[in-house]
Amino acid sequence: DVKVTQSSRYLVKRTGEKVFLECVQDMDHENMFWYRQDPGLGLRLIYFSYDVKMKEKGDIPEGYSVSREKKERFSLILESASTNQTSMYLCASSQGGRSGELFFGEGSRLTVL
Amino acid sequence: QQQVKQSPQSLIVQKGGISIINCAYENTAFDYFPWYQQFPGKGPALLIAIRPDVSEKKEGRFTISFNKSAKQFSLHIMDSQPGDSATYFCAACRGGTSYGKLTFGQGTILTVHP
């Protein structure tokens, strides 16, 4: 079974703090993604990576950055957290090629006070 | 700009009934249309998917109907069960290197009453 593990299920941070969200996948997938889930808005793509050290902006990259130093690990970084970044963050991976299936982690719920 | 619009936002169905969720898209370059199912506390998981070369795909009680000319697709859940209660998301992506870079709809919360 594919497993995508997000290290923190729940985080509470203060405005201005730097936040790291970590994600690890165990299936040697090429692609990794960070989505943000908000009620009524669905899932919105923040960043994705199709190879180590490669990244592309998604639809809502402002206020976020990412790091992929190893194939299995993809980190989302909030340089200076703001209250409007309070949300559920979902990491996903996919095999690439013509397989469009994403495998998601269970999510990290971030609250910024 | 929401490129994939999903309706309804919420849906209540009696056990044994048919649940229907609709999605409309704008980008004619979209080449892959999956539906994801999400239970509380879990990440979304692929339920069923269709490519635009067919008009319908069925897997068990779940059917996708696809209308390319209208740029619409829908999920039908036959004989709905309480265990189907979840949030459903439609999605779409372009082909080529964009596979996996999904654009999601807003989600539908389905409740199936016993």
Side-chain angles (χ1 to χ4, degrees):
Chain A
D1 274 359
V2 175
K3 192 162 180 67
V4 178
T5 302
Q6 296 183 231
S7 56
S8 303
R9 293 295 305 274
Y10 301 94
L11 303 94
V12 179
K13 299 292 181 180
R14 297 208 174 272
T15 302
E17 280 193 81
K18 192 169 186 176
V19 182
F20 291 88
L21 299 180
E22 303 282 338
C23 175
V24 177
Q25 51 98 0
D26 67 357
M27 281 302 290
D28 200 36
H29 281 170
E30 300 293 327
N31 301 335
M32 295 189 75
F33 306 81
W34 276 105
Y35 281 89
R36 171 177 170 161
Q37 181 176 4
D38 299 288
L41 296 177
L43 282 71
R44 293 177 292 167
L45 182 63
I46 304 172
Y47 267 98
F48 74 102
S49 169
Y50 50 89
D51 200 352
V52 175
K53 297 190 186 293
M54 304 301 287
K55 61 186 179 185
E56 279 194 28
K57 293 179 180 179
D59 299 317
I60 53 165
E62 296 78 18
Y64 303 96
S65 62
V66 291
S67 172
R68 194 169 180 200
E69 296 295 321
K70 294 184 178 181
K71 189 175 185 179
E72 68 272 17
R73 188 177 299 268
F74 193 36
S75 302
L76 180 69
I77 303 155
L78 288 67
E79 293 288 343
S80 178
S82 63
T83 55
N84 62 12
Q85 293 178 310
T86 291
S87 187
M88 172 67 82
Y89 292 89
L90 290 163
C91 175
S93 70
S94 74
Q95 191 169 348
R98 230 177 158 241
S99 169
E101 181 174 5
L102 297 187
F103 295 86
F104 283 90
E106 294 192 325
S108 298
R109 180 163 294 282
L110 172 66
T111 301
V112 183
L113 302 175
Chain B
Q1 181 185 4
Q2 190 75 36
Q3 293 195 53
V4 178
K5 294 184 179 179
Q6 182 173 346
S7 63
Q9 272 194 306
S10 62
L11 181 61
I12 298 174
V13 174
Q14 294 297 316
K15 179 182 176 182
I18 302 173
S19 304
I20 302 174
I21 305 171
N22 300 299
C23 282
Y25 63 96
E26 300 168 5
N27 190 340
T28 55
F30 284 151
D31 189 45
Y32 174 71
F33 301 88
W35 285 87
Y36 280 76
Q37 180 188 54
Q38 183 181 31
F39 293 106
K42 301 293 185 182
L46 180 65
L47 181 64
I48 186 172
I50 197 167
R51 298 188 192 275
D53 51 346
V54 296
S55 60
E56 186 175 283
K57 183 173 182 180
K58 184 175 181 178
E59 289 183 3
R61 296 184 293 108
F62 301 90
T63 300
I64 300 179
S65 297
F66 185 80
N67 185 331
K68 190 173 181 178
S69 60
K71 294 188 285 185
Q72 294 176 347
F73 59 111
S74 60
L75 176 69
H76 295 236
I77 306 174
M78 310 300 289
D79 187 26
S80 298
Q81 299 296 313
D84 297 330
S85 297
T87 300
Y88 292 81
F89 295 97
C90 63
C93 72
R94 296 185 298 167
T97 57
S98 293
Y99 274 117
K101 190 181 169 186
L102 294 174
T103 298
F104 284 86
Q106 298 91 327
T108 297
I109 301 172
L110 172 65
T111 303
V112 181
H113 285 314

